[in-house]
Amino acid sequence: MSTQSEFSLIDSYFTGTTSERDDVILGIGDDCALLQCPADHVVAVSIDTLVSGVHFFADVDAETLGHKSLAVGLSDLAAMGAKPAWFTLAITLPDSNEAWLQGFSQGLSKLANRHNIQLVGGDTTKGPLTISIQVHGFVKAEQALCRNQAQAGDLIYVSGSLGDAGAALQLKLDQWHDEQLTEQDLQYLIQRLEKPTPRNGLGIKLRDYATSAIDISDGLSSDLGHILNKSGFGATINLAELPLSAALKKIPHETAAQFALNSGDDYELCFTIPAARQQEFESQFANECSLIGTIEAKHGLRIIQLDGQQQIMTGAGGYDHFSA
Ligand SMILES: [Mg+2]
């Protein structure tokens, strides 16, 4: 595409669609945006690329894709305890389909405006459908929720419910179904996969409590594994305590628990809290967060199964079975 068509695509469909922030000195339309970071804060930055046929179904609705493309970045900001501020967008499109761009822009801007995050730059090119979004947020350096600060004895919590998106993906791939699920349950699960809710409000409140945090994009077992590796500790989690939605409570517990433990795309938060603050934390957050385990000095991830037996997770989706 020529420079002119690049400019007009961004100009027509994206300029002015997101809230105008005071800290944007110069937004879309020049070679660079000029942005003002508040004193005493640092900028948290993260980029995600979504590729058609790899990260989303090629026939997904444009508005839904607009939502999800930004939601995954917002979720990373939530996991750092950073307040969303700005984002940039690069779209590669097979052709300049106006209806598609309109829908995509709507999904994107609706979510952006809910979080007061402003689009400050973009680029469009021609090619297989690919979306890259880089998000920027503010946090005080000493308050950022890093993966490497969990301590032995800390309690492990997750927000919301787990496994919904993973169940939805298996449904969409026709690899799994359960007779107990109603049409409403199916719609709920698909919504969780396609339109995840990033936990930014919670992420900011967790600055006052959490020693470490991560968002669950790849699956609890592997994302918690990142906290354990970076912090240099191990953990035991209890499969029976993994929070399940009303829909997943209808299916066999063993199946639901495996979705909750291993499947990704939920975009909930997993974080650690010093045990001494359990009561104080739960008095405020018991409704939206669940205690699932404990950080331990002994390395490795130990899972207490539904039958009470303990298994050691070795990573790469495999277990080492042993009787405790
Ligand atoms: Mg992440």
Side-chain angles (χ1 to χ4, degrees):
M1 284 176 204
S2 70
T3 309
Q4 180 55 41
S5 70
E6 256 178 48
F7 175 78
S8 53
L9 274 183
I10 295 173
D11 204 38
S12 315
Y13 294 100
F14 297 102
T15 303
T17 56
T18 56
S19 46
E20 292 189 15
R21 296 173 54 98
D22 292 341
D23 50 22
V24 177
I25 311 303
L26 190 61
I28 294 172
D30 210 309
D31 295 301
C32 292
L34 299 176
L35 309 168
Q36 185 74 54
C37 180
D40 307 331
H41 286 67
V42 293
V43 181
V45 181
S46 174
I47 188 164
D48 278 290
T49 295
L50 304 184
V51 179
S52 177
V54 179
H55 301 98
F56 57 89
F57 292 95
D59 61 352
V60 73
D61 169 65
E63 184 171 346
T64 300
L65 184 60
H67 175 104
K68 184 155 185 177
S69 304
L70 181 59
V72 299
L74 285 167
S75 180
D76 281 328
L77 293 178
M80 283 318 275
K83 195 166 189 200
W86 317 304
F87 70 103
T88 54
L89 163 70
I91 305 184
T92 304
L93 272 177
D95 47 52
S96 68
N97 178 331
E98 295 197 12
W100 192 93
L101 280 163
Q102 187 88 45
F104 181 85
S105 172
Q106 260 170 29
L108 188 76
S109 54
K110 212 186 282 178
L111 183 64
N113 292 334
R114 214 176 296 156
H115 291 273
N116 192 30
I117 187 168
Q118 182 175 344
L119 179 66
V120 294
D123 185 29
T124 52
T125 49
K126 192 167 177 161
L129 181 58
T130 304
I131 316 289
S132 284
I133 288 188
Q134 184 167 49
V135 293
H136 308 75
F138 304 144
V139 65
K140 290 186 174 172
E142 67 276 15
Q143 287 192 322
L145 304 174
C146 301
R147 299 175 179 185
N148 64 353
Q149 294 296 314
Q151 302 297 320
D154 282 357
L155 303 176
I156 306 167
Y157 288 83
V158 293
S159 65
S161 61
L162 300 181
D164 294 328
L169 183 62
Q170 294 302 307
L171 282 165
K172 290 204 73 156
L173 292 170
D174 277 330
Q175 291 181 351
W176 172 77
H177 184 70
D178 191 289
E179 303 276 293
Q180 298 303 313
L181 297 173
T182 63
E183 189 54 38
Q184 207 180 354
D185 294 327
L186 298 178
Q187 275 175 21
Y188 163 81
L189 293 172
I190 302 285
Q191 176 89 357
R192 288 275 286 160
L193 173 67
E194 293 188 339
K195 283 199 162 180
T197 305
R199 302 298 179 192
N200 295 83
L202 176 64
I204 284 170
K205 291 180 199 156
L206 288 180
R207 289 170 183 169
D208 295 334
Y209 292 95
T211 49
S212 71
I214 192 167
D215 64 322
I216 302 174
S217 53
D218 297 334
L220 174 65
S221 55
S222 72
D223 288 319
L224 175 59
H226 294 311
I227 288 184
L228 301 182
N229 288 337
K230 292 272 185 182
S231 298
F233 291 114
T236 297
I237 62 173
N238 191 339
L239 213 52
E241 301 299 331
L242 302 188
L244 300 174
S245 64
L248 284 201
K249 279 181 182 161
K250 292 183 180 176
I251 71 171
H253 198 173
E254 185 58 45
T255 308
Q258 290 306 320
F259 280 134
L261 179 64
N262 294 318
S263 66
D265 266 341
D266 283 317
Y267 297 100
E268 296 293 348
L269 298 180
C270 173
F271 53 94
T272 54
I273 302 272
R277 303 195 65 193
Q278 176 176 9
Q279 217 175 9
E280 184 193 352
F281 178 76
E282 290 186 2
S283 70
Q284 276 194 68
F285 296 95
N287 285 339
E288 55 180 321
C289 299
S290 306
L291 175 60
I292 61 161
T294 311
I295 299 287
E296 294 165 342
K298 185 182 173 190
H299 285 212
L301 177 54
R302 291 161 290 281
I303 317 276
I304 299 170
Q305 301 291 314
L306 298 177
D307 62 5
Q309 298 238 339
Q310 196 182 83
Q311 295 179 331
I312 296 183
M313 196 120 191
T314 55
Y319 290 100
D320 260 352
H321 295 250
F322 87 102
S323 298

